[in-house]
Amino acid sequence: MKNKCFNLIVIVATVLVITLVATTSYAYFTATVQGNNEVNTSVITTGNMSLTFIDDSVVGLYNMYPTQSVEKEFYIENTGEVESNYDVYFSNIINDFADKSDLVYIVESLSGENLTAGCEVLSQRIVPSISNEESKIISSCPIGVGQKHGYKLTIVFVDDGTNQDDNKGKHFSAKLSVNEVYQQTEQIAYLQPGPMFNESMKVLSNASTSNRNEGDIEGFEGANLYINDRKLGYNYVVDDSIKYITISNTAPQASDNAIKVNDVTSYYDIYAWYKNNTIYLYTEADEIYLNLDSAFTFFNLNGMESIDLSIFNTSKVYTMDFMLAEMSNLKNINYGSNFNTSNVRYMAGLFDDDISLTSLDVSSFDTSKVITMMSTFNHIASLESLDVSSLNTSNVKNMDYMFNELNIETLTLGSNFNTSKVTSMKYMFAGCKNLKSLDLSTFNTSNVEGMAGIFVACNKIKTLDLSSFNTSKVTSMKQMFKEMTGLESLNLGNNFDTSNVTNMHQMFAYLKKLRILNLGSKFNVSKVTNGYDMFQNPSGVLTTIYSTNDLVYAPGANINNMFWSTRTLVGGKGTAYSSQHDHGDYAVIDCGTKRPGYLTFNGTEEEYEQFCSQFD
């Protein structure tokens, strides 16, 4: 069924969250308008059009009752090269208010320095209940090159003069999205954004169990996480009943209780229904395109052992964050000829926690535009080997947790594995307990700022050569080599510069087989505020730590238990480890009885004597 003569491209998603909940006996409400606290500016570009959504901090109003309101300002800017148009609309709407007319919204165009007048909007409208044409709050507004429009959204709880206690415990939530509008040339069908389609399928199958709390995503720390301007950790429902997703050649019958699952931007409608453990999809279009925002599309569909992605066209997808993640029984993926990733920017957690996959072929992936691969292959526990040598990572900036907790024995990175733009590698190879070797000779780490836990618990690697690493921008090396219990040789090289590092907590802890540690000439701890347990090594064999200077930490730094239980450690002039000197007071070059320490001077004997002469 055709439903409009143009289409929209979603280029900014999830920029506003609004929540109202009744809390008292006289219809008092708690209301929060929440934007993105951590990412204040979001710029998304499609073709020649670039829209900027500037998100200010959280606004909160509590104990809301009739006549009260909440408000939020947002801005849209055209930084592209052509004039364009845009829509702003509510999406992901939940509205179970008994009387829908009790909530109304007002959108006002703002004026001010650097602002061009935005489009006129209606002074007052009822807050919508579903995402459709009526959910638009601004429609096809023209914006010139370099222009910026500002708006204020106000949501009002209307006092209708009657007892409104029937709204006690009711809930409204929504997200605000911005679309670029263009004249339709392709009469195609777009699926809902990933999170919405994920929810739609589980509603159809009556899934009811949940195993996710807010912020609880495997491999990530903290309760309030943002990635690509999206807050992670929704209360996603686990669904064990859906085993197949397929295309139907015939339209649904009335008894199928089908629902629409097309995006509001779709030229054609898409219908979905559930029968015999299968989600059926029907459209009059020749094919179904996955949404530009396809994050979380198949998330937590634990009943699926195989997924056929060939029924979808992915050529327009912009984000695949967690798209296939947490599918605990998934064993086979059929990509087909329509699986096109050439426009994808975000692949965070794409296969995260797919613990039953024993093989994974990504050789057909075009990742030339991808900018984040955080947790892409995290915790694929049954995977036996992984070859990513065909991936183009030249634009990737984030590789946190990328290969975290893999049980593979072989990881093929290849000579073209490009890290020149990467700024964070936290826990990148952590927990790869069966990996026997890593060739990192081609790594360019000159822009990396985070290396916390990058090799933690890689306990079968015997030799690690980091001589190619430039660490001059790194600020955290927390647990960097912790629990590499099989490590016998560690080459930090001449560019292991720690002058900007502030955290070295447990950096070299539990290296049971490493006898000699050479810190190199650029090991500088002047900014380190946390050196707690840095070298602790119970049951270890560490005898010698070479250094060119004393380790002089930042004032007030926590350097407690720095050498805890390093019983075999001896300084260069014979000072043996003592439990009475576990702390950082002995993190100095050993000059014997005149100035004891646990470090050995890294130089000639003559230079060593000259260094210690200052303490005569």
Side-chain angles (χ1 to χ4, degrees), residues 498-517:
T498 64
S499 58
N500 283 305
V501 177
T502 60
N503 193 337
M504 289 185 177
H505 173 56
Q506 293 186 327
M507 183 175 176
F508 300 104
Y510 303 104
L511 303 183
K512 292 186 177 182
K513 293 187 178 181
L514 189 69
R515 295 181 180 275
I516 298 175
L517 174 61

Side-chain angles (χ1 to χ4, degrees), residues 469-488:
F469 275 34
N470 178 342
T471 59
S472 59
K473 292 184 179 179
V474 177
T475 59
S476 178
M477 290 184 174
K478 173 186 174 182
Q479 299 179 339
M480 188 170 179
F481 307 103
K482 180 185 177 183
E483 293 180 9
M484 295 189 72
T485 54
L487 191 65
E488 298 175 2

Side-chain angles (χ1 to χ4, degrees), residues 72-371:
K72 182 76 171 179
E73 293 183 0
F74 60 95
Y75 301 85
I76 301 168
E77 185 176 6
N78 183 353
T79 59
E81 300 176 358
V82 295
E83 181 178 344
S84 191
N85 298 68
Y86 62 85
D87 290 342
V88 179
Y89 66 96
F90 288 110
S91 64
N92 289 34
I93 300 170
I94 299 174
N95 186 352
D96 58 8
F97 267 57
D99 186 345
K100 308 301 184 188
S101 63
D102 281 353
L103 287 181
V104 300
Y105 70 90
I106 302 164
V107 180
E108 303 170 76
S109 179
L110 300 175
S111 60
E113 186 177 359
N114 299 323
L115 290 180
T116 304
C119 290
E120 293 185 7
V121 294
L122 296 178
S123 59
Q124 182 168 298
R125 283 182 281 186
I126 295 174
V127 172
S129 300
I130 59 174
S131 299
N132 56 20
E133 284 295 313
E134 299 302 319
S135 67
K136 290 182 183 177
I137 66 175
I138 301 172
S139 182
S140 196
C141 182
I143 184 168
V145 175
Q147 290 184 351
K148 181 178 179 181
H149 296 173
Y151 298 94
K152 181 172 73 172
L153 169 68
T154 305
I155 295 183
V156 182
F157 180 22
V158 176
D159 184 352
D160 63 7
T162 66
N163 188 317
Q164 294 171 271
D165 282 349
D166 56 352
N167 280 325
K168 281 179 56 181
K170 302 302 182 182
H171 177 70
F172 169 77
S173 64
K175 298 173 185 177
L176 201 63
S177 295
V178 183
N179 296 343
E180 180 182 359
V181 181
Y182 74 107
Q183 292 301 311
Q184 175 64 270
T185 58
E186 297 176 292
Q187 297 182 7
I188 56 181
Y190 279 102
L191 204 63
Q192 290 172 317
M196 295 178 66
F197 180 63
N198 187 273
E199 181 179 344
S200 295
M201 286 190 292
K202 292 168 183 176
V203 168
L204 285 170
S205 67
N206 294 313
S208 60
T209 57
S210 176
N211 76 339
R212 282 289 162 209
N213 294 315
E214 190 170 294
D216 181 19
I217 291 289
E218 181 75 22
F220 293 85
E221 297 175 319
N224 298 304
L225 299 168
Y226 292 83
I227 180 171
N228 313 327
D229 313 322
R230 174 183 290 104
K231 187 174 182 179
L232 297 181
Y234 303 101
N235 288 317
Y236 280 107
V237 174
V238 175
D239 195 313
D240 297 321
S241 63
I242 298 174
K243 298 185 182 300
Y244 309 100
I245 300 173
T246 189
I247 300 294
S248 173
N249 293 323
T250 57
Q253 303 299 308
S255 60
D256 292 325
N257 297 315
I259 62 173
K260 289 183 181 181
V261 292
N262 53 281
D263 189 63
V264 294
T265 66
S266 184
Y267 187 92
Y268 289 97
D269 288 331
I270 305 173
Y271 294 90
W273 64 99
Y274 174 79
K275 184 186 295 184
N276 299 327
N277 301 112
T278 302
I279 293 290
Y280 291 92
L281 301 173
Y282 172 78
T283 181
E284 294 180 2
D286 293 333
E287 56 186 339
I288 295 176
Y289 280 72
L290 286 189
N291 199 279
L292 273 72
D293 178 6
S294 287
F296 297 96
T297 304
F298 308 104
F299 186 80
N300 261 344
L301 297 184
N302 286 351
M304 299 189 71
E305 294 186 6
S306 178
I307 186 168
D308 185 5
L309 297 177
S310 68
I311 65 176
F312 302 108
N313 188 316
T314 63
S315 61
K316 299 182 185 297
V317 176
Y318 196 86
T319 174
M320 288 185 172
D321 291 343
F322 298 91
M323 188 176 90
L324 298 164
E326 306 260 355
M327 300 178 72
S328 62
N329 289 303
L330 186 64
K331 296 179 175 66
N332 179 62
I333 303 171
N334 177 26
Y335 297 112
S337 59
N338 284 332
F339 194 78
N340 182 336
T341 61
S342 60
N343 281 309
V344 176
R345 268 66 166 182
Y346 306 111
M347 279 189 176
L350 178 58
F351 304 104
D352 179 83
D353 218 22
D354 290 343
I355 58 176
S356 297
L357 278 177
T358 57
S359 63
L360 186 61
D361 183 2
V362 294
S363 60
S364 64
F365 282 34
D366 180 350
T367 56
S368 58
K369 294 181 181 178
V370 174
I371 61 176

